[in-house]
Amino acid sequence: AVLKDRSVVTWGNAYFGGDSSTVQDRLQRVQQIQANGFAFAAILEDGSAVTWGIESYGGNSFTVQDKLKSVQHVQATMFAFAAILADGSVVSWGF
């Protein structure tokens, strides 16, 4: 959940993203959160994105992190995410 101060609190099964402690320090100024059944993606005020949950289902965006700039929207699928950037291009990650 995004709190009033735009930080994030998570709960539930850690395996499925209920534990965001590995990225908690980055979950500030959150604009939007999307979730699939296994992971979460948050857009931050600066246009970057933070992900957590099962790595292969979108919880790890390391391979595309350098492209996740000026993110306007994130859409979840069952096993992946797609981000629409300000220039209209799309970046996807997950299974």
Side-chain angles (χ1 to χ4, degrees), residues 54-76:
I54 297 179
E55 292 187 4
S56 59
Y57 295 135
N60 183 343
S61 56
F62 179 77
T63 60
V64 296
Q65 194 64 50
D66 62 324
K67 297 176 183 175
L68 292 175
K69 310 291 185 211
S70 302
V71 176
Q72 301 297 300
H73 182 75
V74 171
Q75 182 63 50

Side-chain angles (χ1 to χ4, degrees), residues 4-89:
K4 189 175 184 177
D5 68 358
R6 297 189 302 164
S7 64
V8 172
V9 62
T10 59
W11 63 92
N13 188 314
Y15 186 71
F16 296 108
D19 178 6
S20 60
S21 62
T22 60
V23 296
Q24 192 65 45
D25 61 323
R26 296 178 56 209
L27 291 173
Q28 305 298 318
R29 298 182 176 153
V30 173
Q31 301 268 338
Q32 173 193 10
I33 293 180
Q34 282 286 326
N36 61 28
F38 307 95
F40 293 84
I43 301 174
L44 306 184
E45 182 179 76
D46 66 1
S48 63
V50 177
T51 60
W52 68 97
I54 297 179
E55 292 187 4
S56 59
Y57 295 135
N60 183 343
S61 56
F62 179 77
T63 60
V64 296
Q65 194 64 50
D66 62 324
K67 297 176 183 175
L68 292 175
K69 310 291 185 211
S70 302
V71 176
Q72 301 297 300
H73 182 75
V74 171
Q75 182 63 50
T77 69
M78 185 174 285
F79 302 118
F81 294 96
I84 300 172
L85 307 184
D87 66 2
S89 63

